[in-house]
Amino acid sequence: MRRPRPTILTALVDADAVIQQHRERIAALEQEMEDKLRQTEMALSLERAKIAREQSQLTELRIELEAMRGPNGTGGDAGGGGGAPKRRWLSKLGLGR
């Protein structure tokens, strides 16, 4: 018994209408998946950019808040300066200087 040659077998398979339909369907599915992948990659890229902008804004706000606190961690001008804020309650009671 002789085996058919691969080229003949390939030609028979390529000529089959059902196989052609399946190949076309597979090619369409591959294209659809590639399109969806591109869209998803774009969405992820936009989300990463958004997160990076938000992180940058938060970093700027943190630096700004730290600058407002001053070098020793106090509120800066909010307390009235120096040691006075620590003894304000004494002056309210009439015991302060």
Side-chain angles (χ1 to χ4, degrees), residues 27-70:
L29 288 172
E30 284 178 348
Q31 184 64 41
E32 182 181 342
M33 294 302 292
E34 287 175 3
D35 291 342
K36 286 182 180 182
L37 178 62
R38 268 189 237 105
Q39 290 174 352
T40 304
E41 287 174 342
M42 183 64 74
L44 285 173
S45 178
L46 291 172
E47 190 66 25
R48 280 194 304 266
K50 178 183 169 187
I51 290 170
R53 282 192 304 273
E54 289 173 353
Q55 285 178 340
S56 175
Q57 289 173 348
L58 287 173
T59 301
E60 288 175 11
L61 285 173
R62 182 181 50 81
I63 291 170
E64 196 174 312
L65 284 173
E66 287 175 357
M68 290 172 75
R69 283 186 182 163

